[in-house]
């Protein structure tokens, strides 16, 4: 009888530890996601101002859906007050290189037409890698890629002051790096469209 009690206690302990691990992992994932959101533009504005900004961002998302090729993901984030466009970096760059491909240049020319149509938004350009290779080399590569995107958009007439860029390297993976499909998802470029100060002031005047 004592042996059975010990086994049951052991199983119960393992179950509690596993559940705690899941909760801990979930909290870590949420914290990482929040860190990225805060890094690219802080908290949502909210209120009447936020409703106006969300409406403007929805308009820009529709425009982006029209001008960009199909191999991308476009979503509203931060309670609708921002738009995030995600590309597979393999579509834009050769492996382990930061030089823009011809496809990338075509995509960015299309993107710039929409960006220039909405001058009151700001852009955050963020590149990521998978976990293959050295951490620092991945960070440097992702930063060079992000800078290259910024520079090419500037050539297309996008005001440099509207854009910031950052190379995250292998931080904040979007998928499991243990699988080839996961590593492909992690090698990505994100361009965040956020309300600039002129849009926020305009929204506040409409209260």
């Amino acid at each position: 009888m004592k042996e059975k009690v010990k086994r049951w206690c052991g199983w119960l302990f393992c179950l509690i530890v596993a559940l705690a691990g899941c909760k801990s992992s979930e909290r870590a994932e949420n914290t990482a996601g929040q860190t990225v959101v805060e890094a690219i533009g802080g908290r949502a504005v909210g209120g009447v101002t936020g409703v106006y900004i969300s409406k403007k961002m929805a308009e820009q998302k529709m425009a982006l859906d029209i001008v960009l090729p199909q191999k991308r993901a476009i979503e509203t984030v931060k309670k609708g007050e921002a738009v995030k466009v995600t590309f597979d970096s393999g579509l834009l760059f050769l492996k382990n290189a930061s030089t823009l491909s011809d496809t990338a240049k075509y995509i960015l020319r299309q993107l710039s037409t929409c960006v220039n149509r909405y001058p009151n938004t700001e852009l955050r350009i963020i590149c990521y890698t998978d976990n293959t290779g050295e951490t620092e080399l991945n960070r440097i590569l992702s930063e060079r890629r992000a800078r290259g995107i910024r520079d090419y958009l500037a050539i297309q007439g996008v005001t440099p002051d509207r854009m910031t860029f950052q190379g995250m390297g292998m931080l904040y993976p979007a998928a499991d790096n243990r699988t080839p499909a996961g590593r492909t998802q992690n090698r990505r470029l994100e361009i965040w469209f956020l309300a600039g100060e002129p849009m926020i002031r305009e929204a506040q005047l409409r209260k």
Side-chain angles (χ1 to χ4, degrees):
M1 182 68 179
K2 289 182 179 179
E3 290 299 320
K4 287 184 177 180
V5 171
K6 286 181 180 179
R7 285 200 298 270
W8 275 105
C9 288
W11 292 338
L12 181 60
F13 176 76
C14 291
L15 178 61
I16 292 172
V17 170
L19 289 174
C22 289
K23 289 294 183 182
S24 176
S25 176
E26 182 180 338
R27 283 196 298 271
E29 182 178 345
N30 289 339
T31 301
Q34 183 63 27
T35 300
V36 174
V37 170
E38 290 174 354
I40 59 87
R43 299 180 182 276
V45 177
V48 177
T49 301
V51 171
Y52 177 83
I53 290 172
S54 295
K55 181 180 177 181
K56 289 294 183 182
M57 287 300 173
E59 293 176 7
Q60 187 156 352
K61 179 179 181 295
M62 289 179 62
L64 288 165
D65 271 322
I66 293 171
V67 303
L68 289 178
Q70 294 302 308
K71 292 184 178 180
R72 80 292 187 271
I74 303 177
E75 57 187 312
T76 52
V77 289
K78 292 181 63 182
K79 298 181 179 180
E81 294 177 21
V83 175
K84 181 176 72 169
V85 182
T86 305
F87 296 98
D88 177 351
S89 67
L91 184 68
L92 307 176
F93 304 95
L94 296 177
K95 187 176 180 180
N96 296 325
S98 58
T99 303
L100 291 171
S101 67
D102 290 339
T103 299
K105 292 177 181 178
Y106 169 77
I107 291 172
L108 293 176
R109 286 196 297 270
Q110 297 295 102
L111 181 70
S112 66
T113 62
C114 184
V115 173
N116 290 328
R117 204 180 307 154
Y118 294 89
N120 290 341
T121 55
E122 296 179 353
L123 277 65
R124 303 288 186 272
I125 302 163
I126 308 179
C127 277
Y128 302 82
T129 68
D130 60 24
N131 68 343
T132 305
E134 296 181 15
T135 301
E136 182 61 12
L137 291 179
N138 278 322
R139 186 197 65 77
I140 292 171
L141 175 63
S142 63
E143 184 171 304
R144 287 175 177 170
R145 287 176 168 178
R147 183 188 294 114
I149 298 289
R150 190 277 311 268
D151 291 347
Y152 194 81
L153 286 173
I155 292 172
Q156 302 308 310
V158 181
T159 306
D161 289 347
R162 295 175 58 192
M163 299 183 285
T164 60
F165 67 90
Q166 187 171 6
M168 288 288 190
M170 61 179 66
L171 293 177
Y172 310 120
D176 190 346
N177 268 312
R178 291 175 296 182
T179 67
R183 289 192 293 274
T184 296
Q185 289 185 57
N186 292 332
R187 297 190 296 269
R188 68 196 190 278
L189 162 72
E190 294 176 353
I191 302 181
W192 294 66
F193 295 78
L194 306 162
E197 286 300 323
M199 184 184 292
I200 294 174
R201 287 196 299 270
E202 183 179 345
Q204 290 171 340
L205 289 173
R206 292 173 176 267
K207 285 185 178 181

